[in-house]
Amino acid sequence: MQDQYLLLKGYAGLGNRIAALVTAILYAKLSKRTLVVDWRDDFYSSDGRNVFDALFQTQSIPIDTALEILDQAAISIAPDAW
């Protein structure tokens, strides 16, 4: 069976992102997926870096911030705009 991922994109303010993150952590655990957080949007990141890494230490939660996983995997991401 191929690895499955849940991609969480950033949108709006920090409160919205935290609420979405908590929900995504739970959903990823229940569905046995690896959560990948992508906060490279220009709302918080002016240089295209993933600011999630700068704000949180993820060693204790099942989150992968290595977005290269998505670039290397033969996966589909929906919607196409992402």
Side-chain angles (χ1 to χ4, degrees), residues 9-46:
K9 299 285 284 184
Y11 182 75
L14 189 57
N16 174 279
R17 291 170 192 241
I18 298 296
L21 176 63
V22 170
T23 303
I25 290 171
L26 179 60
Y27 182 75
K29 288 184 96 170
L30 291 173
S31 63
K32 296 180 174 44
R33 296 170 187 251
T34 300
L35 176 59
V36 179
V37 179
D38 180 3
W39 287 4
R40 295 179 294 180
D41 58 293
D42 53 357
F43 196 83
Y44 283 107
S45 178
S46 60

